[in-house]
Amino acid sequence: MFTAPVLHVMHTLVGYLLQPVVWALLLATAYAVLELGTLLAERLHALRRWRERGDGADFERLAVRRIERTDFLTRIAPMLGLMGTLIPLGPGLAALGAGELDILTTAMSVAFDTTVLGLLVGIVGFVIGRLRRRWYDETLTAIERRERRR
């Protein structure tokens, strides 16, 4: 089926993915925090201003972009968490076979941490997306009502 050199190359490439996956997950976490700040600012200030003075077409473009960003976060973060779970399990299981429990412990810790962080960021993205959809729908309806009265 597969030769040992092919499997070694694949294992080596996958091993190189862990650090970029962890960094991407950390960036996604920071991005989720920024999105929470943006959500708060929208709720407290921006949506009211859009209702009073905004253009419907401009608001709709902005809304689509922001919802796409949170959808991206909702889908990508759990995938990164799963990758961060699976990548260290191979070396961890190999370490278990060799009796090196320290390496297994580290691998399991990384696996669980990335899973939890990926799911947390996905949940935050999902909640932000749902709130935005509802708020944007209400705001767009208010803008359209205001524009019809003119």
Side-chain angles (χ1 to χ4, degrees):
M1 183 168 248
F2 291 107
T3 62
V6 171
L7 294 175
H8 178 72
V9 168
M10 183 177 66
H11 178 71
T12 302
L13 289 174
V14 169
Y16 287 130
L17 289 175
L18 182 59
Q19 193 163 4
V21 164
V22 170
W23 279 110
L25 194 52
L26 292 173
L27 287 172
T29 304
Y31 190 67
V33 171
L34 288 173
E35 285 294 311
L36 280 171
T38 303
L39 183 76
L40 184 63
E42 285 175 343
R43 185 64 178 167
L44 295 177
H45 303 292
L47 292 176
R48 187 178 328 116
R49 272 187 267 143
W50 274 104
R51 281 187 180 121
E52 294 168 359
R53 294 174 253 166
D55 174 48
D58 288 342
F59 179 75
E60 197 168 357
R61 280 191 294 276
L62 173 80
V64 167
R65 273 197 321 269
R66 288 193 177 163
I67 288 172
E68 284 175 352
R69 287 190 331 219
T70 53
D71 286 349
F72 181 77
L73 204 60
T74 301
R75 289 180 176 96
I76 296 299
M79 289 181 208
L80 290 170
L82 180 59
M83 286 179 72
T85 301
L86 296 175
I87 293 169
L89 286 183
L93 292 173
L96 176 63
E100 298 172 357
L101 294 180
D102 290 343
I103 295 173
L104 174 64
T105 303
T106 301
M108 294 302 290
S109 178
V110 170
F112 288 126
D113 291 347
T114 56
T115 300
V116 170
L117 194 56
L119 290 173
L120 176 67
V121 173
I123 289 167
V124 168
F126 178 77
V127 170
I128 291 171
R130 298 306 295 176
L131 288 172
R132 278 188 172 152
R133 279 178 175 80
R134 184 168 40 113
W135 294 349
Y136 291 171
D137 187 45
E138 292 168 359
T139 302
L140 192 56
T141 301
I143 290 170
E144 288 171 351
R145 246 188 272 128
R146 181 181 45 84
E147 288 176 347
R148 267 188 260 131
R149 279 186 262 153
R150 287 185 190 173

